[in-house]
PDB file of all heavy atoms in Angstrom:
ATOM      1  N   GLN A1342      10.303 -57.515  61.675  1.00 85.00           N
ATOM      2  CA  GLN A1342       9.495 -57.003  62.759  1.00 85.00           C
ATOM      3  C   GLN A1342       9.358 -55.492  62.609  1.00 85.00           C
ATOM      4  O   GLN A1342      10.351 -54.788  62.430  1.00 85.00           O
ATOM      5  CB  GLN A1342      10.112 -57.341  64.116  1.00 85.00           C
ATOM      6  CG  GLN A1342       9.271 -56.894  65.291  1.00 85.00           C
ATOM      7  CD  GLN A1342       9.894 -57.265  66.620  1.00 85.00           C
ATOM      8  OE1 GLN A1342      11.041 -57.696  66.686  1.00 85.00           O
ATOM      9  NE2 GLN A1342       9.118 -57.102  67.675  1.00 85.00           N
ATOM     10  N   VAL A1343       8.142 -55.033  62.679  1.00 92.00           N
ATOM     11  CA  VAL A1343       7.845 -53.617  62.581  1.00 92.00           C
ATOM     12  C   VAL A1343       7.266 -53.146  63.903  1.00 92.00           C
ATOM     13  O   VAL A1343       6.419 -53.815  64.503  1.00 92.00           O
ATOM     14  CB  VAL A1343       6.854 -53.327  61.443  1.00 92.00           C
ATOM     15  CG1 VAL A1343       6.462 -51.856  61.440  1.00 92.00           C
ATOM     16  CG2 VAL A1343       7.469 -53.724  60.104  1.00 92.00           C
ATOM     17  N   GLN A1344       7.723 -51.996  64.330  1.00 95.00           N
ATOM     18  CA  GLN A1344       7.240 -51.443  65.578  1.00 95.00           C
ATOM     19  C   GLN A1344       6.970 -49.957  65.408  1.00 95.00           C
ATOM     20  O   GLN A1344       7.742 -49.237  64.780  1.00 95.00           O
ATOM     21  CB  GLN A1344       8.258 -51.663  66.694  1.00 95.00           C
ATOM     22  CG  GLN A1344       7.785 -51.215  68.065  1.00 95.00           C
ATOM     23  CD  GLN A1344       8.790 -51.538  69.156  1.00 95.00           C
ATOM     24  OE1 GLN A1344       9.981 -51.697  68.896  1.00 95.00           O
ATOM     25  NE2 GLN A1344       8.307 -51.630  70.389  1.00 95.00           N
ATOM     26  N   LEU A1345       5.869 -49.514  65.970  1.00 96.00           N
ATOM     27  CA  LEU A1345       5.533 -48.105  65.994  1.00 96.00           C
ATOM     28  C   LEU A1345       5.565 -47.626  67.433  1.00 96.00           C
ATOM     29  O   LEU A1345       4.894 -48.197  68.295  1.00 96.00           O
ATOM     30  CB  LEU A1345       4.145 -47.853  65.406  1.00 96.00           C
ATOM     31  CG  LEU A1345       3.892 -48.321  63.968  1.00 96.00           C
ATOM     32  CD1 LEU A1345       2.463 -47.996  63.562  1.00 96.00           C
ATOM     33  CD2 LEU A1345       4.875 -47.672  63.014  1.00 96.00           C
ATOM     34  N   VAL A1346       6.334 -46.588  67.684  1.00 97.00           N
ATOM     35  CA  VAL A1346       6.464 -46.053  69.024  1.00 97.00           C
ATOM     36  C   VAL A1346       5.928 -44.631  69.048  1.00 97.00           C
ATOM     37  O   VAL A1346       6.430 -43.761  68.333  1.00 97.00           O
ATOM     38  CB  VAL A1346       7.922 -46.076  69.506  1.00 97.00           C
ATOM     39  CG1 VAL A1346       8.021 -45.485  70.909  1.00 97.00           C
ATOM     40  CG2 VAL A1346       8.453 -47.503  69.499  1.00 97.00           C
ATOM     41  N   GLU A1347       4.927 -44.410  69.882  1.00 97.00           N
ATOM     42  CA  GLU A1347       4.282 -43.117  69.971  1.00 97.00           C
ATOM     43  C   GLU A1347       4.786 -42.327  71.166  1.00 97.00           C
ATOM     44  O   GLU A1347       5.194 -42.890  72.184  1.00 97.00           O
ATOM     45  CB  GLU A1347       2.769 -43.285  70.100  1.00 97.00           C
ATOM     46  CG  GLU A1347       2.123 -44.047  68.963  1.00 97.00           C
ATOM     47  CD  GLU A1347       0.627 -44.179  69.159  1.00 97.00           C
ATOM     48  OE1 GLU A1347       0.017 -43.276  69.771  1.00 97.00           O
ATOM     49  OE2 GLU A1347       0.053 -45.185  68.694  1.00 97.00           O
ATOM     50  N   SER A1348       4.693 -41.021  71.045  1.00 97.00           N
ATOM     51  CA  SER A1348       5.041 -40.139  72.141  1.00 97.00           C
ATOM     52  C   SER A1348       4.327 -38.810  71.944  1.00 97.00           C
ATOM     53  O   SER A1348       3.814 -38.518  70.864  1.00 97.00           O
ATOM     54  CB  SER A1348       6.553 -39.918  72.227  1.00 97.00           C
ATOM     55  OG  SER A1348       7.042 -39.291  71.054  1.00 97.00           O
ATOM     56  N   GLY A1349       4.306 -38.013  72.990  1.00 97.00           N
ATOM     57  CA  GLY A1349       3.773 -36.671  72.887  1.00 97.00           C
ATOM     58  C   GLY A1349       2.448 -36.427  73.574  1.00 97.00           C
ATOM     59  O   GLY A1349       1.996 -35.282  73.679  1.00 97.00           O
ATOM     60  N   GLY A1350       1.804 -37.481  74.036  1.00 97.00           N
ATOM     61  CA  GLY A1350       0.539 -37.302  74.719  1.00 97.00           C
ATOM     62  C   GLY A1350       0.727 -36.655  76.077  1.00 97.00           C
ATOM     63  O   GLY A1350       1.839 -36.518  76.576  1.00 97.00           O
ATOM     64  N   GLY A1351      -0.380 -36.251  76.663  1.00 98.00           N
ATOM     65  CA  GLY A1351      -0.306 -35.628  77.967  1.00 98.00           C
ATOM     66  C   GLY A1351      -1.595 -34.933  78.333  1.00 98.00           C
ATOM     67  O   GLY A1351      -2.625 -35.122  77.694  1.00 98.00           O
ATOM     68  N   LEU A1352      -1.512 -34.139  79.369  1.00 98.00           N
ATOM     69  CA  LEU A1352      -2.651 -33.390  79.876  1.00 98.00           C
ATOM     70  C   LEU A1352      -2.493 -31.921  79.525  1.00 98.00           C
ATOM     71  O   LEU A1352      -1.461 -31.310  79.833  1.00 98.00           O
ATOM     72  CB  LEU A1352      -2.764 -33.559  81.392  1.00 98.00           C
ATOM     73  CG  LEU A1352      -3.805 -32.719  82.117  1.00 98.00           C
ATOM     74  CD1 LEU A1352      -5.207 -33.102  81.663  1.00 98.00           C
ATOM     75  CD2 LEU A1352      -3.659 -32.890  83.622  1.00 98.00           C
ATOM     76  N   VAL A1353      -3.494 -31.365  78.884  1.00 98.00           N
ATOM     77  CA  VAL A1353      -3.478 -29.953  78.528  1.00 98.00           C
ATOM     78  C   VAL A1353      -4.830 -29.335  78.823  1.00 98.00           C
ATOM     79  O   VAL A1353      -5.848 -30.034  78.920  1.00 98.00           O
ATOM     80  CB  VAL A1353      -3.123 -29.722  77.044  1.00 98.00           C
ATOM     81  CG1 VAL A1353      -1.720 -30.225  76.739  1.00 98.00           C
ATOM     82  CG2 VAL A1353      -4.139 -30.413  76.149  1.00 98.00           C
ATOM     83  N   GLN A1354      -4.843 -28.034  78.951  1.00 98.00           N
ATOM     84  CA  GLN A1354      -6.090 -27.320  79.120  1.00 98.00           C
ATOM     85  C   GLN A1354      -6.743 -27.061  77.772  1.00 98.00           C
ATOM     86  O   GLN A1354      -6.075 -27.043  76.736  1.00 98.00           O
ATOM     87  CB  GLN A1354      -5.853 -25.991  79.837  1.00 98.00           C
ATOM     88  CG  GLN A1354      -5.393 -26.126  81.275  1.00 98.00           C
ATOM     89  CD  GLN A1354      -5.239 -24.787  81.959  1.00 98.00           C
ATOM     90  OE1 GLN A1354      -5.083 -23.758  81.307  1.00 98.00           O
ATOM     91  NE2 GLN A1354      -5.281 -24.794  83.282  1.00 98.00           N
ATOM     92  N   ALA A1355      -8.038 -26.881  77.791  1.00 98.00           N
ATOM     93  CA  ALA A1355      -8.752 -26.548  76.568  1.00 98.00           C
ATOM     94  C   ALA A1355      -8.121 -25.330  75.914  1.00 98.00           C
ATOM     95  O   ALA A1355      -7.785 -24.353  76.582  1.00 98.00           O
ATOM     96  CB  ALA A1355     -10.225 -26.298  76.866  1.00 98.00           C
ATOM     97  N   GLY A1356      -7.968 -25.410  74.604  1.00 98.00           N
ATOM     98  CA  GLY A1356      -7.327 -24.340  73.867  1.00 98.00           C
ATOM     99  C   GLY A1356      -5.838 -24.529  73.695  1.00 98.00           C
ATOM    100  O   GLY A1356      -5.209 -23.799  72.912  1.00 98.00           O
ATOM    101  N   GLY A1357      -5.289 -25.488  74.393  1.00 98.00           N
ATOM    102  CA  GLY A1357      -3.868 -25.755  74.307  1.00 98.00           C
ATOM    103  C   GLY A1357      -3.506 -26.578  73.098  1.00 98.00           C
ATOM    104  O   GLY A1357      -4.339 -26.870  72.238  1.00 98.00           O
ATOM    105  N   SER A1358      -2.257 -26.983  73.049  1.00 98.00           N
ATOM    106  CA  SER A1358      -1.767 -27.734  71.909  1.00 98.00           C
ATOM    107  C   SER A1358      -0.846 -28.857  72.347  1.00 98.00           C
ATOM    108  O   SER A1358      -0.252 -28.825  73.427  1.00 98.00           O
ATOM    109  CB  SER A1358      -1.033 -26.806  70.928  1.00 98.00           C
ATOM    110  OG  SER A1358       0.102 -26.220  71.538  1.00 98.00           O
ATOM    111  N   LEU A1359      -0.746 -29.844  71.482  1.00 98.00           N
ATOM    112  CA  LEU A1359       0.155 -30.969  71.677  1.00 98.00           C
ATOM    113  C   LEU A1359       0.655 -31.421  70.320  1.00 98.00           C
ATOM    114  O   LEU A1359      -0.010 -31.216  69.302  1.00 98.00           O
ATOM    115  CB  LEU A1359      -0.543 -32.149  72.360  1.00 98.00           C
ATOM    116  CG  LEU A1359      -0.807 -32.092  73.859  1.00 98.00           C
ATOM    117  CD1 LEU A1359      -1.644 -33.295  74.270  1.00 98.00           C
ATOM    118  CD2 LEU A1359       0.495 -32.072  74.636  1.00 98.00           C
ATOM    119  N   ARG A1360       1.800 -32.041  70.331  1.00 98.00           N
ATOM    120  CA  ARG A1360       2.344 -32.633  69.121  1.00 98.00           C
ATOM    121  C   ARG A1360       2.634 -34.106  69.380  1.00 98.00           C
ATOM    122  O   ARG A1360       3.477 -34.431  70.215  1.00 98.00           O
ATOM    123  CB  ARG A1360       3.620 -31.930  68.685  1.00 98.00           C
ATOM    124  CG  ARG A1360       4.139 -32.385  67.322  1.00 98.00           C
ATOM    125  CD  ARG A1360       5.543 -31.885  67.070  1.00 98.00           C
ATOM    126  NE  ARG A1360       5.931 -32.033  65.672  1.00 98.00           N
ATOM    127  CZ  ARG A1360       7.183 -32.042  65.234  1.00 98.00           C
ATOM    128  NH1 ARG A1360       8.182 -31.883  66.094  1.00 98.00           N
ATOM    129  NH2 ARG A1360       7.444 -32.181  63.953  1.00 98.00           N
ATOM    130  N   LEU A1361       1.948 -34.952  68.663  1.00 98.00           N
ATOM    131  CA  LEU A1361       2.157 -36.375  68.770  1.00 98.00           C
ATOM    132  C   LEU A1361       3.140 -36.843  67.706  1.00 98.00           C
ATOM    133  O   LEU A1361       3.132 -36.349  66.584  1.00 98.00           O
ATOM    134  CB  LEU A1361       0.848 -37.144  68.604  1.00 98.00           C
ATOM    135  CG  LEU A1361      -0.309 -36.759  69.532  1.00 98.00           C
ATOM    136  CD1 LEU A1361      -1.497 -37.680  69.274  1.00 98.00           C
ATOM    137  CD2 LEU A1361       0.112 -36.803  70.988  1.00 98.00           C
ATOM    138  N   SER A1362       3.962 -37.795  68.077  1.00 98.00           N
ATOM    139  CA  SER A1362       4.922 -38.369  67.152  1.00 98.00           C
ATOM    140  C   SER A1362       4.772 -39.877  67.150  1.00 98.00           C
ATOM    141  O   SER A1362       4.438 -40.485  68.165  1.00 98.00           O
ATOM    142  CB  SER A1362       6.361 -38.008  67.542  1.00 98.00           C
ATOM    143  OG  SER A1362       6.571 -36.613  67.535  1.00 98.00           O
ATOM    144  N   CYS A1363       5.042 -40.463  66.016  1.00 97.00           N
ATOM    145  CA  CYS A1363       5.007 -41.913  65.892  1.00 97.00           C
ATOM    146  C   CYS A1363       6.114 -42.331  64.943  1.00 97.00           C
ATOM    147  O   CYS A1363       6.064 -42.017  63.750  1.00 97.00           O
ATOM    148  CB  CYS A1363       3.645 -42.379  65.378  1.00 97.00           C
ATOM    149  SG  CYS A1363       3.532 -44.156  65.094  1.00 97.00           S
ATOM    150  N   ALA A1364       7.091 -43.023  65.474  1.00 96.00           N
ATOM    151  CA  ALA A1364       8.241 -43.443  64.690  1.00 96.00           C
ATOM    152  C   ALA A1364       8.168 -44.930  64.385  1.00 96.00           C
ATOM    153  O   ALA A1364       7.984 -45.748  65.286  1.00 96.00           O
ATOM    154  CB  ALA A1364       9.536 -43.125  65.436  1.00 96.00           C
ATOM    155  N   ALA A1365       8.326 -45.256  63.129  1.00 94.00           N
ATOM    156  CA  ALA A1365       8.310 -46.649  62.693  1.00 94.00           C
ATOM    157  C   ALA A1365       9.729 -47.184  62.577  1.00 94.00           C
ATOM    158  O   ALA A1365      10.627 -46.498  62.081  1.00 94.00           O
ATOM    159  CB  ALA A1365       7.598 -46.778  61.353  1.00 94.00           C
ATOM    160  N   SER A1366       9.916 -48.390  63.034  1.00 93.00           N
ATOM    161  CA  SER A1366      11.213 -49.033  62.929  1.00 93.00           C
ATOM    162  C   SER A1366      11.033 -50.489  62.536  1.00 93.00           C
ATOM    163  O   SER A1366       9.943 -51.040  62.636  1.00 93.00           O
ATOM    164  CB  SER A1366      11.983 -48.939  64.248  1.00 93.00           C
ATOM    165  OG  SER A1366      11.300 -49.620  65.287  1.00 93.00           O
ATOM    166  N   GLY A1367      12.117 -51.104  62.110  1.00 89.00           N
ATOM    167  CA  GLY A1367      12.063 -52.486  61.690  1.00 89.00           C
ATOM    168  C   GLY A1367      12.116 -52.597  60.178  1.00 89.00           C
ATOM    169  O   GLY A1367      12.638 -51.720  59.496  1.00 89.00           O
ATOM    170  N   THR A1368      11.576 -53.678  59.685  1.00 78.00           N
ATOM    171  CA  THR A1368      11.563 -53.911  58.251  1.00 78.00           C
ATOM    172  C   THR A1368      10.426 -53.140  57.613  1.00 78.00           C
ATOM    173  O   THR A1368       9.255 -53.465  57.800  1.00 78.00           O
ATOM    174  CB  THR A1368      11.419 -55.409  57.938  1.00 78.00           C
ATOM    175  OG1 THR A1368      12.486 -56.130  58.559  1.00 78.00           O
ATOM    176  CG2 THR A1368      11.467 -55.640  56.434  1.00 78.00           C
ATOM    177  N   ILE A1369      10.801 -52.119  56.877  1.00 76.00           N
ATOM    178  CA  ILE A1369       9.816 -51.240  56.267  1.00 76.00           C
ATOM    179  C   ILE A1369       9.751 -51.498  54.767  1.00 76.00           C
ATOM    180  O   ILE A1369      10.761 -51.405  54.066  1.00 76.00           O
ATOM    181  CB  ILE A1369      10.142 -49.766  56.529  1.00 76.00           C
ATOM    182  CG1 ILE A1369      10.299 -49.508  58.033  1.00 76.00           C
ATOM    183  CG2 ILE A1369       9.068 -48.874  55.932  1.00 76.00           C
ATOM    184  CD1 ILE A1369       9.051 -49.776  58.828  1.00 76.00           C
ATOM    185  N   PHE A1370       8.573 -51.816  54.311  1.00 79.00           N
ATOM    186  CA  PHE A1370       8.339 -51.928  52.880  1.00 79.00           C
ATOM    187  C   PHE A1370       7.905 -50.560  52.367  1.00 79.00           C
ATOM    188  O   PHE A1370       8.267 -49.544  52.941  1.00 79.00           O
ATOM    189  CB  PHE A1370       7.273 -52.996  52.601  1.00 79.00           C
ATOM    190  CG  PHE A1370       7.542 -54.301  53.273  1.00 79.00           C
ATOM    191  CD1 PHE A1370       6.648 -54.803  54.212  1.00 79.00           C
ATOM    192  CD2 PHE A1370       8.675 -55.026  52.978  1.00 79.00           C
ATOM    193  CE1 PHE A1370       6.894 -56.014  54.833  1.00 79.00           C
ATOM    194  CE2 PHE A1370       8.935 -56.236  53.600  1.00 79.00           C
ATOM    195  CZ  PHE A1370       8.034 -56.731  54.529  1.00 79.00           C
ATOM    196  N   GLU A1371       7.161 -50.553  51.321  1.00 85.00           N
ATOM    197  CA  GLU A1371       6.618 -49.296  50.838  1.00 85.00           C
ATOM    198  C   GLU A1371       5.507 -48.839  51.775  1.00 85.00           C
ATOM    199  O   GLU A1371       4.580 -49.587  52.058  1.00 85.00           O
ATOM    200  CB  GLU A1371       6.061 -49.452  49.424  1.00 85.00           C
ATOM    201  CG  GLU A1371       5.426 -48.188  48.875  1.00 85.00           C
ATOM    202  CD  GLU A1371       4.796 -48.392  47.523  1.00 85.00           C
ATOM    203  OE1 GLU A1371       4.974 -49.480  46.942  1.00 85.00           O
ATOM    204  OE2 GLU A1371       4.132 -47.467  47.026  1.00 85.00           O
ATOM    205  N   ILE A1372       5.633 -47.626  52.266  1.00 90.00           N
ATOM    206  CA  ILE A1372       4.607 -47.090  53.148  1.00 90.00           C
ATOM    207  C   ILE A1372       3.438 -46.598  52.306  1.00 90.00           C
ATOM    208  O   ILE A1372       3.572 -45.646  51.548  1.00 90.00           O
ATOM    209  CB  ILE A1372       5.153 -45.954  54.019  1.00 90.00           C
ATOM    210  CG1 ILE A1372       6.276 -46.466  54.923  1.00 90.00           C
ATOM    211  CG2 ILE A1372       4.033 -45.351  54.860  1.00 90.00           C
ATOM    212  CD1 ILE A1372       6.911 -45.397  55.782  1.00 90.00           C
ATOM    213  N   SER A1373       2.330 -47.275  52.459  1.00 92.00           N
ATOM    214  CA  SER A1373       1.129 -46.863  51.748  1.00 92.00           C
ATOM    215  C   SER A1373       0.484 -45.668  52.428  1.00 92.00           C
ATOM    216  O   SER A1373       0.043 -44.733  51.764  1.00 92.00           O
ATOM    217  CB  SER A1373       0.133 -48.019  51.659  1.00 92.00           C
ATOM    218  OG  SER A1373      -1.040 -47.619  50.973  1.00 92.00           O
TER     219      SER A1373
END
């Protein structure tokens, strides 16, 4: 079982910044 969990979204004003993350877990083969 493979799962991707995202985080980092939100509300920002124009010109601002955000950092999104996505962590993969479970049975990982070769990541293409």
Side-chain angles (χ1 to χ4, degrees):
Q1342 183 179 10
V1343 175
Q1344 185 176 23
L1345 302 180
V1346 179
E1347 302 180 31
S1348 62
L1352 173 64
V1353 297
Q1354 293 183 338
S1358 62
L1359 283 174
R1360 188 192 194 200
L1361 305 183
S1362 299
C1363 176
S1366 63
T1368 303
I1369 306 298
F1370 309 118
E1371 178 184 352
I1372 298 178
S1373 180

